[in-house]
Coordinates of all heavy atoms in Angstrom, one line a residue:
M1 N 0.8 -1.2 0.0 CA 0.0 0.0 0.0 C 0.9 1.2 0.0 O 1.9 1.3 0.7 CB -0.9 0.0 1.2 CG -1.6 1.3 1.4 SD -2.8 1.4 2.8 CE -2.4 0.2 4.0
I2 N 0.5 2.2 -0.8 CA 1.2 3.5 -0.8 C 0.5 4.5 0.0 O -0.7 4.7 -0.1 CB 1.3 4.0 -2.3 CG1 2.1 3.0 -3.1 CG2 1.9 5.4 -2.3 CD1 2.2 3.4 -4.6
L3 N 1.2 5.1 0.9 CA 0.6 6.1 1.8 C 1.0 7.5 1.3 O 2.2 7.7 0.8 CB 1.1 5.9 3.2 CG 0.8 4.6 3.9 CD1 1.4 4.5 5.3 CD2 -0.7 4.4 4.0
A4 N 0.1 8.4 1.3 CA 0.5 9.8 0.9 C -0.2 10.8 1.8 O -1.3 10.6 2.3 CB 0.0 10.0 -0.5
S5 N 0.5 11.9 2.0 CA 0.0 12.9 2.9 C -1.0 13.8 2.2 O -0.9 14.1 1.0 CB 1.2 13.8 3.3 OG 0.7 14.9 4.0
L6 N -2.0 14.1 2.9 CA -3.0 15.1 2.4 C -2.7 16.5 2.9 O -3.4 17.4 2.6 CB -4.4 14.7 2.9 CG -5.0 13.4 2.4 CD1 -6.3 13.1 3.0 CD2 -5.1 13.5 0.9
C7 N -1.6 16.6 3.6 CA -1.2 17.9 4.1 C -1.2 19.1 3.1 O -1.8 20.1 3.4 CB 0.2 17.9 4.8 SG 0.3 16.8 6.3
P8 N -0.7 18.9 1.9 CA -0.7 20.0 1.0 C -2.2 20.4 0.5 O -2.4 21.5 0.0 CB 0.0 19.5 -0.3 CG 1.0 18.5 0.3 CD 0.2 17.8 1.4
L9 N -3.1 19.6 0.8 CA -4.5 19.9 0.5 C -5.3 20.5 1.7 O -6.5 20.8 1.6 CB -5.3 18.6 0.1 CG -4.7 17.9 -1.2 CD1 -5.4 16.6 -1.4 CD2 -4.7 18.8 -2.4
C10 N -4.6 20.7 2.8 CA -5.2 21.3 4.0 C -5.1 22.9 3.9 O -4.0 23.4 3.5 CB -4.5 20.8 5.2 SG -5.1 21.5 6.8
K11 N -6.1 23.5 4.4 CA -6.1 25.0 4.4 C -5.0 25.6 5.4 O -4.7 26.7 5.3 CB -7.4 25.6 4.7 CG -7.9 25.5 6.1 CD -9.3 26.2 6.2 CE -9.7 26.4 7.6 NZ -11.0 27.1 7.6
H12 N -4.5 24.8 6.3 CA -3.5 25.2 7.2 C -2.0 25.0 6.8 O -1.1 25.4 7.4 CB -3.7 24.5 8.6 CG -5.0 24.7 9.2 ND1 -5.5 26.0 9.5 CD2 -6.0 23.8 9.4 CE1 -6.8 25.8 10.0 NE2 -7.1 24.5 9.9
W13 N -1.9 24.3 5.6 CA -0.6 24.0 5.0 C 0.2 25.3 4.7 O -0.4 26.3 4.2 CB -0.8 23.2 3.8 CG 0.5 23.0 3.0 CD1 0.8 23.6 1.8 CD2 1.5 22.0 3.2 NE1 2.0 23.0 1.3 CE2 2.4 22.0 2.2 CE3 1.7 21.1 4.2 CZ2 3.5 21.2 2.1 CZ3 2.8 20.2 4.2 CH2 3.7 20.3 3.1
Q14 N 1.5 25.4 5.1 CA 2.3 26.6 4.9 C 3.5 26.2 4.0 O 4.3 27.1 3.7 CB 2.8 27.2 6.2 CG 1.6 27.6 7.1 CD 2.1 28.0 8.4 OE1 3.2 27.8 8.9 NE2 1.2 28.7 9.2
G15 N 3.6 25.0 3.5 CA 4.7 24.6 2.7 C 5.9 24.2 3.5 O 5.9 24.4 4.8
N16 N 6.9 23.6 2.9 CA 8.1 23.2 3.6 C 7.8 22.3 4.8 O 8.5 22.4 5.8 CB 9.0 24.4 4.0 CG 9.5 25.2 2.8 OD1 9.8 24.6 1.8 ND2 9.4 26.5 2.9
D17 N 6.8 21.5 4.7 CA 6.5 20.5 5.7 C 6.1 21.2 7.0 O 6.3 20.7 8.1 CB 7.6 19.5 6.0 CG 7.9 18.7 4.7 OD1 7.0 18.6 3.8 OD2 9.0 18.1 4.6
K18 N 5.5 22.4 6.9 CA 5.0 23.1 8.1 C 3.6 23.5 7.9 O 3.1 23.6 6.8 CB 5.9 24.3 8.3 CG 7.3 24.0 8.7 CD 8.1 25.2 8.9 CE 9.6 24.8 9.2 NZ 10.4 26.0 9.4
C19 N 2.9 23.8 9.0 CA 1.5 24.2 9.0 C 1.2 25.0 10.3 O 2.0 25.0 11.2 CB 0.6 23.0 8.8 SG 0.5 21.9 10.2
A20 N 0.0 25.5 10.4 CA -0.5 26.2 11.6 C -0.4 25.3 12.8 O -0.1 25.7 13.9 CB -1.9 26.8 11.4
A21 N -0.7 24.0 12.6 CA -0.7 23.1 13.7 C 0.7 22.8 14.2 O 0.9 22.6 15.4 CB -1.4 21.8 13.3
F22 N 1.6 22.7 13.2 CA 3.0 22.3 13.5 C 4.0 23.3 12.9 O 4.6 22.9 11.8 CB 3.2 20.9 13.1 CG 2.3 19.9 13.6 CD1 1.2 19.4 12.9 CD2 2.4 19.5 15.0 CE1 0.3 18.4 13.4 CE2 1.4 18.6 15.5 CZ 0.4 18.1 14.7
P23 N 4.1 24.5 13.4 CA 4.9 25.5 12.7 C 6.4 25.1 12.7 O 7.2 25.7 11.9 CB 4.7 26.8 13.6 CG 4.2 26.3 14.9 CD 3.4 25.0 14.6
D24 N 6.8 24.2 13.6 CA 8.2 23.8 13.6 C 8.5 22.5 12.8 O 9.6 22.0 12.8 CB 8.7 23.6 15.0 CG 8.7 24.9 15.8 OD1 9.0 26.0 15.3 OD2 8.4 24.8 17.0
G25 N 7.4 22.0 12.1 CA 7.6 20.8 11.3 C 6.5 19.8 11.7 O 6.2 19.5 12.8
I26 N 5.9 19.3 10.6 CA 4.8 18.3 10.8 C 5.4 17.0 11.2 O 6.4 16.5 10.6 CB 4.0 18.2 9.5 CG1 3.4 19.5 9.1 CG2 3.0 17.1 9.5 CD1 2.8 19.6 7.7
P27 N 4.8 16.3 12.2 CA 5.4 15.0 12.6 C 5.4 14.0 11.4 O 4.5 14.0 10.6 CB 4.4 14.5 13.7 CG 3.8 15.8 14.2 CD 3.7 16.7 13.1
E28 N 6.4 13.2 11.4 CA 6.6 12.3 10.2 C 5.4 11.4 10.0 O 5.0 11.2 8.9 CB 7.9 11.5 10.5 CG 8.2 10.6 9.3 CD 9.4 9.8 9.5 OE1 10.2 10.0 10.4 OE2 9.7 8.9 8.6
K29 N 4.8 10.9 11.1 CA 3.7 10.0 10.9 C 2.5 10.6 10.2 O 1.8 10.0 9.4 CB 3.2 9.4 12.2 CG 4.1 8.3 12.8 CD 3.5 7.7 14.0 CE 4.3 6.6 14.5 NZ 3.8 5.3 14.1
I30 N 2.3 11.9 10.4 CA 1.3 12.7 9.7 C 1.7 13.0 8.3 O 1.0 12.8 7.3 CB 0.9 13.9 10.4 CG1 0.2 13.6 11.8 CG2 0.0 14.8 9.6 CD1 -0.1 14.8 12.7
L31 N 2.9 13.4 8.2 CA 3.5 13.9 6.9 C 3.5 12.8 5.9 O 3.2 13.0 4.7 CB 4.9 14.5 7.1 CG 5.4 15.3 5.9 CD1 4.5 16.4 5.6 CD2 6.8 15.8 6.3
I32 N 3.8 11.5 6.3 CA 3.9 10.4 5.3 C 2.5 9.8 5.1 O 2.4 8.9 4.3 CB 4.9 9.4 5.7 CG1 4.5 8.7 7.0 CG2 6.3 10.0 5.8 CD1 5.4 7.5 7.4
G33 N 1.5 10.3 5.8 CA 0.2 9.7 5.6 C -0.1 8.5 6.5 O -1.2 7.9 6.3
D34 N 0.7 8.2 7.4 CA 0.5 7.0 8.3 C -0.7 7.4 9.3 O -1.4 6.5 9.7 CB 1.7 6.7 9.1 CG 1.7 5.4 9.8 OD1 1.0 4.5 9.3 OD2 2.4 5.2 10.8
I35 N -0.8 8.6 9.6 CA -1.9 9.1 10.5 C -2.6 10.3 9.8 O -1.9 11.2 9.3 CB -1.3 9.6 11.8 CG1 -0.8 8.5 12.7 CG2 -2.4 10.4 12.6 CD1 -0.1 8.9 13.9
F36 N -3.9 10.2 9.7 CA -4.7 11.3 9.1 C -5.0 12.2 10.2 O -5.7 11.8 11.2 CB -5.9 10.7 8.4 CG -6.7 11.8 7.7 CD1 -6.2 12.8 7.0 CD2 -8.1 11.8 7.9 CE1 -6.9 13.8 6.4 CE2 -8.9 12.8 7.3 CZ -8.3 13.8 6.6
H37 N -4.6 13.5 10.1 CA -4.8 14.4 11.2 C -6.2 15.1 11.2 O -6.3 16.3 11.1 CB -3.7 15.5 11.1 CG -3.7 16.5 12.2 ND1 -3.4 17.8 12.0 CD2 -3.9 16.3 13.6 CE1 -3.5 18.4 13.2 NE2 -3.8 17.6 14.2
N38 N -7.2 14.3 11.4 CA -8.6 14.8 11.4 C -9.1 14.7 12.9 O -10.3 15.0 13.1 CB -9.5 14.1 10.5 CG -9.6 12.6 10.7 OD1 -8.7 12.0 11.4 ND2 -10.6 11.9 10.2
H39 N -8.3 14.3 13.8 CA -8.6 14.3 15.2 C -7.4 15.0 16.0 O -6.3 15.1 15.4 CB -8.8 12.9 15.7 CG -9.9 12.2 15.1 ND1 -11.2 12.4 15.4 CD2 -9.9 11.2 14.2 CE1 -12.0 11.6 14.7 NE2 -11.3 10.9 13.9
P40 N -7.7 15.4 17.2 CA -6.6 16.1 17.9 C -5.3 15.2 18.0 O -5.4 14.0 18.1 CB -7.2 16.3 19.3 CG -8.6 16.4 19.1 CD -8.9 15.4 18.0
Y41 N -4.2 15.8 17.9 CA -2.9 15.2 18.0 C -2.0 16.0 18.9 O -2.2 17.2 19.0 CB -2.3 15.2 16.6 CG -1.1 14.3 16.4 CD1 -1.2 12.9 16.2 CD2 0.2 14.8 16.5 CE1 -0.1 12.1 16.0 CE2 1.3 13.9 16.4 CZ 1.1 12.6 16.1 OH 2.2 11.8 16.0
P42 N -1.2 15.3 19.7 CA -0.3 16.1 20.6 C 0.4 17.3 20.0 O 0.9 17.2 18.9 CB 0.7 15.0 21.1 CG 0.0 13.7 20.9 CD -0.9 13.9 19.7
D43 N 0.3 18.4 20.7 CA 1.0 19.6 20.3 C 0.5 20.2 19.0 O 1.3 20.9 18.3 CB 2.5 19.4 20.3 CG 3.0 19.0 21.7 OD1 2.6 19.5 22.7 OD2 3.9 18.1 21.7
D44 N -0.8 20.0 18.6 CA -1.3 20.5 17.3 C -1.9 21.9 17.4 O -2.5 22.4 16.5 CB -2.2 19.5 16.6 CG -3.5 19.3 17.3 OD1 -3.8 20.0 18.3 OD2 -4.3 18.4 16.9
H45 N -1.8 22.5 18.6 CA -2.3 23.9 18.8 C -3.8 24.0 18.5 O -4.3 25.1 18.2 CB -1.5 24.9 18.1 CG -0.1 24.9 18.4 ND1 0.9 24.2 17.7 CD2 0.6 25.5 19.4 CE1 2.1 24.4 18.3 NE2 1.9 25.2 19.3
G46 N -4.5 22.9 18.6 CA -6.0 23.0 18.3 C -6.4 22.9 16.9 O -7.6 23.0 16.5
F47 N -5.4 22.9 16.0 CA -5.7 22.8 14.5 C -5.8 21.3 14.1 O -5.2 20.4 14.7 CB -4.6 23.4 13.7 CG -4.5 24.9 13.9 CD1 -3.6 25.5 14.8 CD2 -5.3 25.7 13.1 CE1 -3.5 26.8 14.9 CE2 -5.2 27.1 13.2 CZ -4.3 27.7 14.1
K48 N -6.6 21.0 13.1 CA -6.6 19.7 12.5 C -6.9 19.9 11.0 O -7.2 21.0 10.6 CB -7.6 18.8 13.2 CG -9.0 19.2 13.1 CD -9.9 18.3 13.8 CE -11.3 18.8 13.8 NZ -12.3 18.0 14.5
Y49 N -6.8 18.8 10.3 CA -7.0 18.9 8.8 C -8.3 19.5 8.5 O -9.4 19.1 9.0 CB -6.9 17.5 8.2 CG -7.2 17.5 6.7 CD1 -6.1 17.7 5.8 CD2 -8.4 17.2 6.2 CE1 -6.4 17.7 4.5 CE2 -8.7 17.3 4.9 CZ -7.7 17.5 4.0 OH -7.9 17.5 2.6
E50 N -8.3 20.5 7.6 CA -9.5 21.0 7.0 C -9.2 21.2 5.5 O -8.2 21.9 5.2 CB -9.8 22.4 7.6 CG -10.3 22.3 9.0 CD -10.6 23.7 9.6 OE1 -11.5 24.3 9.0 OE2 -9.9 24.1 10.5
R51 N -10.0 20.6 4.6 CA -9.7 20.7 3.2 C -9.7 22.1 2.7 O -10.5 22.9 3.1 CB -10.6 19.8 2.4 CG -11.9 20.3 2.3 CD -12.7 19.3 1.3 NE -14.0 19.8 1.2 CZ -15.1 19.1 1.1 NH1 -15.0 17.8 1.1 NH2 -16.3 19.6 1.0
K52 N -8.7 22.4 1.8 CA -8.6 23.7 1.2 C -9.5 23.9 0.0 O -9.9 25.0 -0.3 CB -7.1 23.8 0.8 CG -6.7 25.2 0.2 CD -5.3 25.2 -0.3 CE -4.3 24.6 0.5 NZ -2.9 24.8 0.1
Y53 N -9.7 22.8 -0.7 CA -10.5 22.8 -1.9 C -11.7 21.9 -1.8 O -11.6 20.8 -1.2 CB -9.7 22.4 -3.1 CG -8.4 23.1 -3.3 CD1 -7.2 22.4 -3.0 CD2 -8.3 24.4 -3.7 CE1 -6.0 23.1 -3.2 CE2 -7.1 25.1 -3.9 CZ -6.0 24.4 -3.6 OH -4.8 25.1 -3.8
S54 N -12.8 22.3 -2.5 CA -14.0 21.4 -2.6 C -13.6 20.3 -3.6 O -12.6 20.5 -4.4 CB -15.2 22.1 -3.1 OG -15.0 22.5 -4.5
P55 N -14.3 19.2 -3.6 CA -13.9 18.1 -4.6 C -13.9 18.7 -6.0 O -13.1 18.3 -6.8 CB -15.0 17.1 -4.4 CG -15.4 17.2 -2.9 CD -15.3 18.7 -2.7
E56 N -14.9 19.5 -6.3 CA -14.9 20.1 -7.7 C -13.7 21.0 -8.0 O -13.2 20.9 -9.1 CB -16.2 20.9 -7.8 CG -17.5 20.1 -7.8 CD -17.9 19.8 -6.3 OE1 -17.4 20.4 -5.4 OE2 -18.8 18.9 -6.2
E57 N -13.3 21.8 -7.0 CA -12.1 22.6 -7.2 C -10.9 21.8 -7.4 O -10.0 22.1 -8.2 CB -11.9 23.6 -6.1 CG -13.0 24.7 -5.9 CD -12.8 25.4 -4.6 OE1 -12.6 24.8 -3.6 OE2 -13.0 26.7 -4.7
L58 N -10.8 20.7 -6.7 CA -9.6 19.8 -6.8 C -9.6 19.2 -8.1 O -8.5 19.1 -8.8 CB -9.7 18.8 -5.7 CG -8.5 17.9 -5.5 CD1 -7.2 18.7 -5.4 CD2 -8.6 16.9 -4.4
L59 N -10.7 18.7 -8.6 CA -10.8 18.1 -10.0 C -10.3 19.1 -11.0 O -9.6 18.8 -12.0 CB -12.2 17.6 -10.3 CG -12.5 16.3 -9.7 CD1 -14.0 15.9 -10.0 CD2 -11.6 15.2 -10.2
E60 N -10.8 20.4 -10.9 CA -10.4 21.4 -11.8 C -8.9 21.6 -11.8 O -8.2 21.7 -12.9 CB -11.1 22.8 -11.5 CG -12.5 22.9 -11.9 CD -13.1 24.2 -11.5 OE1 -12.4 25.2 -11.4 OE2 -14.4 24.2 -11.4
K61 N -8.3 21.7 -10.6 CA -6.9 21.9 -10.5 C -6.1 20.7 -11.1 O -5.1 20.9 -11.8 CB -6.5 22.1 -9.1 CG -7.0 23.4 -8.5 CD -6.3 23.7 -7.2 CE -6.6 25.1 -6.8 NZ -6.1 26.1 -7.7
M62 N -6.6 19.5 -10.9 CA -6.0 18.3 -11.5 C -6.1 18.3 -13.1 O -5.1 18.0 -13.7 CB -6.6 17.0 -11.0 CG -6.3 16.8 -9.5 SD -7.2 15.5 -8.8 CE -6.4 14.1 -9.6
E63 N -7.2 18.8 -13.6 CA -7.4 18.9 -15.0 C -6.5 19.9 -15.6 O -5.9 19.8 -16.7 CB -8.8 19.2 -15.4 CG -9.7 18.0 -15.2 CD -11.2 18.3 -15.4 OE1 -11.6 19.5 -15.6 OE2 -12.0 17.4 -15.3
E64 N -6.3 21.1 -14.9 CA -5.4 22.1 -15.4 C -4.0 21.6 -15.5 O -3.3 22.0 -16.4 CB -5.4 23.3 -14.4 CG -6.7 24.1 -14.4 CD -6.7 25.1 -13.3 OE1 -5.7 25.3 -12.6 OE2 -7.8 25.8 -13.2
R65 N -3.6 20.8 -14.6 CA -2.2 20.2 -14.6 C -1.9 19.3 -15.8 O -0.8 19.1 -16.2 CB -1.9 19.5 -13.3 CG -1.8 20.5 -12.2 CD -1.5 19.8 -10.9 NE -0.1 20.0 -10.7 CZ 0.6 19.5 -9.7 NH1 0.0 18.7 -8.8 NH2 1.9 19.7 -9.5
T66 N -3.0 18.7 -16.3 CA -2.9 17.7 -17.4 C -3.0 18.3 -18.7 O -2.8 17.7 -19.8 CB -3.9 16.5 -17.2 OG1 -5.2 17.0 -17.2 CG2 -3.6 15.8 -15.9
N67 N -3.5 19.6 -18.8 CA -3.7 20.3 -20.1 C -2.4 21.0 -20.5 O -1.6 21.4 -19.8 CB -4.9 21.2 -20.1 CG -6.2 20.4 -20.0 OD1 -6.2 19.2 -20.4 ND2 -7.2 20.9 -19.3

């Protein structure tokens, strides 16, 4: 099974493996997709995954990349 992070699709993502929840660096288990951060996680400052794009917007962005 291939695990992948949804972090870049979260509205709290700041790039460079950092986000509002983890400004000093996202824990590896979340970053590699081993844990989905949709529930409280130690030291997450009260933030959790919230999608940045609706499913329709995400499909549009994916289509743009293939054209």
Side-chain angles (χ1 to χ4, degrees):
M1 172 176 22
I2 297 174
L3 301 175
S5 174
L6 293 178
C7 291
L9 301 177
C10 179
K11 74 179 193 176
H12 303 295
W13 174 255
Q14 297 172 348
N16 296 320
D17 300 340
K18 296 180 182 179
C19 67
F22 304 105
D24 296 325
I26 299 169
E28 184 177 353
K29 285 186 173 260
I30 293 174
L31 195 58
I32 65 171
D34 193 27
I35 293 175
F36 180 46
H37 184 218
N38 61 341
H39 296 287
Y41 191 85
D43 301 319
D44 68 8
H45 300 94
F47 293 96
K48 61 183 179 183
Y49 177 86
E50 292 182 62
R51 73 174 179 218
K52 186 185 317 187
Y53 306 110
S54 71
E56 294 81 14
E57 291 172 318
L58 187 55
L59 282 174
E60 282 181 23
K61 292 194 171 295
M62 292 172 70
E63 287 175 354
E64 288 172 6
R65 295 180 97 185
T66 59
N67 292 332

